[in-house]
Amino acid sequence: MFSIISGITGMPGMAGAKRRTRKPFAGASVAILPLLVSLILAGAAVLPVAAQDKSVPALSATDAARATAILKELDSLDDFSGKDYSALYTIVSEKPGEKQNVSQARVYRRDTKDQFVILVMLPEVNKGQGYLREDNNVWFYDPTSRKFSFSSIKENLQNSEAKNADFTQTSLLDDYTIEAIGEGTVGKYPVWILDLKAKNNEVPYERTRLYVRKDRTMLLKQEDFSVSGRLMRTTLMPKYAELAGKLLPAQILIVDEVNKGEKSQITMAEQSVASLPDKVFTKAFLEQVNR
Amino acid sequence: MNLVIPRIAARNLTRQKKRSVFLGIAIAFSIMIVTVINGFSGAFIRNVSENFAYLMAGHVFVQGSEKTESGKQLSVIRDDAAISAALEASGISSMRVTRTSEASATLIFEGKSTRQTLTGLDIAGSPFLGERLALVSGTWQATTKRDALILSEKVAKKLNVQPGDRLLAEFKTVTGQNNVVDFTLAAISADTGIVGSVMAYANISYLNEGLGLKDGEYMSLGIMLDNLKEAPAAADALYASMRESGLNLFDRDTEKAQSGVSTPFQEMLKSQKSETWEGVRYSVLTIDDIMAQARQIVVALDSVSLIILLVLFAIVMVGISNTFRMVMYERIREIGTMRAMGVQRSEIRSLFLYEALFLALAGAVAGILAALVAMGIASIHDFGMNSPAFLIMKNGHLSFYLPPLRAIGNILIIVVLTIVAAFFPARAAAKMQPAEALRTQK
């Protein structure tokens, strides 16, 4: 789930890699798993956009430089060093024949200290549950028992559906080689189409294809492929918001291409880079908000 | 040795045949119930282990673990030649070797999905699989196809698939990359309990491709022996042989595992997490190591049987005690006469205790015999290989094993308790004054 989210470049707390481990939602995948498992499998309603691929030419030196610059910029969009970040994440997931699942969580993040706090707001049954992360340690707070339980992120991941590679991927540039760059459109927007191949076999998706808007570096669509070459997931970013001079997705739609009919929509509201009080990143904060 | 008192005791038992028979039946019934439970628990772990050995394709297993530069742990055996050489040098005879790989997959078919462990092995070269896996549809012939898949009845029903259908399996490669692979359902097997229903089989070469393993690589080497009992010795021999050949190995026996704090399998998993190493490190496990926790079920069954024995016998003891007290009053003049003729108090007490002893022995032996007959009859019925309780049965039959020491122990418990129950009436009889006893009118 969250790995899917965190795999989307340019979204705070959702980009890849070691940096990603610091992201609130990457961590959330650990903690909020019970809440969000269904979400990850979901995908968004297909956007009113349709990629019109043109043939992808071989990569020339110019193209390679251009593609590298694009990836570099996408990676930089996720860099919130020196600033705090907070947002309200709402996740709506759908599975065929099942009731729509809505989850909501407030996220507070301080990358410089590898800290984040996730406070579950919805569903009502999980309200008040919280996650506090410092370095590789995560504490889960249960308001019913009023107790904290401890575990390391990596251990949790092994027992969850979160993608292992969330913790090994570093960035698009570090993880992938550019195989081709082409042009096309997504909806009415002209885009660069970048075909990437994993540099090592520990990246979650062996191949990925990015559709990046030409006039401003905005990732509009991402397709992830399995080792066998099958399209597994399509991610669409129909809405962006500008925060501290950076363009960040405000809405993400994920379509599971293997489990047909499963999709999720993630909305990030109230995004802010305003400084947060130190007490937010403490156990006392999680206890306090539940009183 | 004076046999007069035991002889009189034996004769006394025959004087009130009906009463003695009823008491004997009560004792026999108690010991029969306990013996049957003991017999079941005695065979339980053996049957479960043996059946699992077939489902997991081995009595002894060699597994490989490799840590990548990033610290990720991979389950893989890369150097099969070194293991094969060590296996040959170990001197283990009469064995069949099976190489397997495994994937935890999500199977998808027409909008339906389910989690399933896929075990990849050479299906055609694993005849023992056919011995333990009953097909309800499809054929073994169809399983020779490269992308063949065998699913249990329950899972096939959940996905609504029939032999010949193509389904998708979504799983991760050994290095953690996402992958999706097509399979053709070749056959559907009968459900074999909870564990059996979550096992599915595929051809190893095809599954390995999906897992990102190269030719000749796999995850686990299973060694099937002639007898489950040979597993510990075979594992020790193989471990020693692998160590001699210079292979990097996890400790086979740790103090914690030996002290029962955790199983050898759990200890191995802990070592894998906490330790670091270069290249592939191997672990040698037996099916018993993996199934160690199932032994707790046996301990629980044995404890339950002991409690049943004690509860049943508490009831029987009350009956025995009351009966002997009644017997004492019935024979009060006889006791007086015997005492007047010079029979000592201790001999009167012994007379009653001998009666209790003979009663207990006769009841216990009858109970054991009845239990043997009951177990024999129960094991005749063939429940078939597709029984839900298949895992606890032997070739579809209920199976029992009664350790001789356990039977002797039960008899001793019964004897001691019967004697204790008769002791107080016996002591009261011994304390009687001869003149007073002779004066007593019934």
Side-chain angles (χ1 to χ4, degrees):
Chain A
M1 290 183 278
F2 277 119
S3 57
I4 293 175
I5 303 168
S6 54
I8 298 161
T9 309
M11 195 179 143
M14 296 189 168
K18 284 177 184 169
R19 261 206 326 261
R20 185 185 305 168
T21 62
R22 299 197 299 266
K23 309 305 186 275
F25 256 100
S29 63
V30 176
I32 292 190
L33 274 176
L35 178 74
L36 300 173
V37 166
S38 55
L39 176 161
I40 295 292
L41 299 171
V46 179
L47 275 178
V49 293
Q52 295 161 10
D53 302 12
K54 291 180 181 173
S55 59
V56 180
L59 201 62
S60 66
T62 319
D63 286 342
R66 178 182 291 134
T68 305
I70 292 169
L71 289 191
K72 207 171 186 176
E73 194 168 350
L74 287 176
D75 280 340
S76 73
L77 289 175
D78 190 38
D79 188 1
F80 271 80
S81 301
K83 286 178 182 167
D84 292 340
Y85 170 84
S86 62
L88 181 66
Y89 283 60
T90 305
I91 300 149
V92 181
S93 59
E94 289 176 30
K95 277 186 174 185
E98 287 184 24
K99 205 177 156 187
Q100 201 176 58
N101 189 338
V102 181
S103 308
Q104 196 173 62
R106 194 166 281 283
V107 174
Y108 305 94
R109 173 179 140 200
R110 180 171 284 171
D111 288 0
T112 46
K113 290 188 175 178
D114 280 354
Q115 292 173 319
F116 71 67
V117 164
I118 296 168
L119 190 59
V120 178
M121 316 295 283
L122 285 175
E124 203 62 37
V125 69
N126 295 45
K127 189 174 181 177
Q129 288 181 351
Y131 302 89
L132 167 65
R133 180 187 176 201
E134 276 183 307
D135 298 324
N136 280 328
N137 302 319
V138 174
W139 284 269
F140 166 69
Y141 179 68
D142 178 13
T144 312
S145 64
R146 296 182 182 177
K147 283 182 180 170
F148 285 88
S149 51
F150 169 84
S151 64
S152 83
I153 283 182
K154 284 189 177 180
E155 279 181 12
N156 267 358
L157 266 179
Q158 285 171 357
N159 297 321
S160 74
E161 291 192 23
K163 316 289 184 201
N164 291 342
D166 285 350
F167 297 89
T168 55
Q169 185 182 3
T170 53
S171 74
L172 287 169
L173 263 180
D174 289 344
D175 288 345
Y176 289 96
T177 54
I178 304 155
E179 288 217 315
I181 180 168
E183 294 175 64
T185 56
V186 173
K188 62 181 179 182
Y189 298 107
V191 292
W192 293 114
I193 302 169
L194 280 74
D195 280 325
L196 310 181
K197 187 177 185 304
K199 283 181 180 172
N200 62 65
N201 58 11
E202 294 187 21
V203 179
Y205 294 97
E206 174 71 10
R207 287 175 185 277
T208 190
R209 180 175 289 168
L210 308 180
Y211 297 79
V212 186
R213 201 167 136 176
K214 275 187 173 179
D215 54 346
R216 299 186 71 179
T217 305
M218 294 164 71
L219 181 64
L220 295 183
K221 181 179 172 183
Q222 179 170 346
E223 290 171 332
D224 296 310
F225 297 85
S226 71
V227 175
S228 61
R230 185 186 291 266
L231 177 61
M232 292 189 76
R233 188 179 71 177
T234 302
T235 308
L236 303 156
M237 281 132 280
K239 287 183 187 171
Y240 270 78
E242 193 155 352
L243 190 66
K246 290 180 179 180
L247 278 169
L248 298 168
Q251 190 181 47
I252 295 173
L253 304 164
I254 302 167
V255 180
D256 189 327
E257 303 287 1
V258 181
N259 295 280
K260 293 291 179 193
E262 296 190 9
K263 54 191 177 182
S264 345
Q265 173 184 299
I266 305 138
T267 310
M268 285 73 70
E270 301 171 30
Q271 295 189 88
S272 167
V273 287
S275 288
L276 297 165
D278 291 345
K279 69 173 184 183
V280 168
F281 302 99
T282 61
K283 288 182 178 179
F285 174 74
L286 286 174
E287 289 171 321
Q288 192 186 338
V289 292
N290 278 290
R291 279 182 195 146
Chain B
M1 186 183 170
N2 186 0
L3 293 176
V4 174
I5 298 296
R7 219 178 289 148
I8 296 172
R11 193 202 60 201
N12 282 347
L13 277 178
T14 60
R15 282 164 62 189
Q16 289 289 339
K17 285 196 183 69
K18 208 184 229 176
R19 187 163 61 201
S20 299
V21 166
F22 276 119
L23 275 178
I25 287 174
I27 293 169
F29 179 75
S30 306
I31 205 160
M32 183 188 81
I33 295 290
V34 173
T35 304
V36 169
I37 296 174
N38 287 158
F40 179 76
S41 68
F44 175 85
I45 193 70
R46 189 183 290 183
N47 291 343
V48 171
S49 296
E50 196 66 79
N51 286 323
F52 262 101
Y54 274 91
L55 290 172
M56 295 173 71
H59 291 111
V60 177
F61 302 92
V62 178
Q63 291 171 343
S65 296
E66 188 178 73
K67 280 209 172 171
T68 64
E69 283 179 12
S70 64
K72 189 178 281 186
Q73 189 184 303
L74 313 182
S75 175
V76 61
I77 291 177
R78 298 199 193 277
D79 188 2
D80 184 48
I83 295 177
S84 296
L87 188 59
E88 202 169 317
S90 69
I92 303 170
S93 57
S94 307
M95 58 178 177
R96 286 175 294 184
V97 174
T98 308
R99 290 159 179 85
T100 60
S101 292
E102 200 172 274
S104 178
T106 300
L107 296 179
I108 304 154
F109 181 72
E110 291 182 352
K112 291 182 178 167
S113 64
T114 187
R115 297 288 297 176
Q116 180 78 49
T117 300
L118 300 183
T119 300
L121 76 174
D122 177 12
I123 296 176
S126 308
F128 55 86
L129 199 62
E131 292 167 20
R132 283 293 190 282
L133 215 58
L135 299 186
V136 292
S137 67
T139 60
W140 286 107
Q141 176 66 28
T143 63
T144 56
K145 208 177 158 192
R146 201 160 171 272
D147 64 348
L149 185 68
I150 304 173
L151 286 181
S152 76
E153 211 173 355
K154 195 173 173 182
V155 174
K157 195 177 173 185
K158 191 174 178 184
L159 292 170
N160 195 23
V161 282
Q162 295 296 324
D165 285 339
R166 299 273 290 169
L167 59 167
L168 289 178
E170 185 182 351
F171 54 88
K172 284 185 168 56
T173 64
V174 283
T175 55
Q177 287 193 297
N178 294 297
N179 206 0
V180 182
V181 174
D182 288 287
F183 281 94
T184 302
L185 184 64
I188 298 172
S189 66
D191 280 334
T192 51
I194 299 166
V195 178
S197 67
V198 296
M199 297 187 87
Y201 298 94
N203 280 307
I204 189 166
S205 59
Y206 189 70
L207 185 65
N208 275 356
E209 266 184 32
L211 286 166
L213 292 174
K214 294 173 191 160
D215 277 349
E217 294 179 344
Y218 54 95
M219 289 182 174
S220 175
L221 180 84
I223 302 155
M224 189 76 82
L225 305 166
D226 280 345
N227 196 321
L228 178 64
K229 284 181 186 172
E230 297 167 11
D236 288 343
L238 178 59
Y239 187 82
S241 176
M242 287 174 74
R243 174 141 284 177
E244 259 180 41
S245 63
L247 291 168
N248 190 3
L249 293 161
F250 285 102
D251 281 344
R252 192 166 140 59
D253 285 312
T254 67
E255 283 179 19
K256 278 186 180 176
Q258 283 171 338
S259 64
V261 173
S262 58
T263 66
F265 186 59
Q266 288 169 327
E267 283 303 311
M268 190 268 292
L269 292 179
K270 279 184 199 169
S271 301
Q272 285 181 343
K273 274 188 183 177
S274 59
E275 296 172 18
T276 53
W277 64 91
E278 283 185 7
V280 181
R281 197 174 196 188
Y282 299 95
S283 52
V284 178
L285 296 163
T286 67
I287 189 78
D288 281 348
D289 294 336
I290 296 166
M291 299 290 301
Q293 282 178 321
R295 290 193 180 280
Q296 290 170 5
I297 297 171
V298 176
V299 173
L301 277 173
D302 284 345
S303 304
V304 167
S305 73
L306 186 64
I307 291 168
I308 290 173
L309 177 73
L310 294 175
V311 169
L312 281 175
F313 217 73
I315 298 165
V316 175
M317 271 176 76
V318 172
I320 290 172
S321 189
N322 284 339
T323 306
F324 273 83
R325 198 163 288 279
M326 205 162 67
V327 166
M328 180 194 77
Y329 287 118
E330 279 176 1
R331 296 188 198 153
I332 202 159
R333 287 171 66 82
E334 183 182 320
I335 292 166
T337 307
M338 288 172 80
R339 292 282 286 119
M341 289 172 70
V343 177
Q344 298 300 305
R345 283 185 172 173
S346 61
E347 289 173 318
I348 295 294
R349 188 171 58 236
S350 297
L351 180 67
F352 276 76
L353 295 181
Y354 271 121
E355 278 188 51
L357 174 67
F358 293 151
L359 188 68
L361 281 176
V365 171
I368 298 275
L369 289 175
L372 291 175
V373 171
M375 291 190 287
I377 292 170
S379 60
I380 289 172
H381 183 69
D382 185 357
F383 291 88
M385 299 294 278
N386 55 357
S387 164
F390 159 78
L391 279 175
I392 61 168
M393 293 196 278
K394 189 177 181 181
N395 300 325
H397 291 266
L398 276 175
S399 167
F400 300 88
Y401 170 68
L402 182 63
L405 281 177
R406 168 78 57 182
I408 292 168
N410 286 345
I411 292 173
L412 284 177
I413 290 172
I414 289 282
V415 166
V416 169
L417 291 177
T418 309
I419 289 173
V420 168
F423 177 77
F424 297 100
R427 190 177 61 175
K431 278 183 178 175
M432 272 182 198
Q433 294 299 327
E436 199 178 316
L438 285 168
R439 275 204 304 273
T440 304
Q441 298 294 319
K442 281 185 188 174

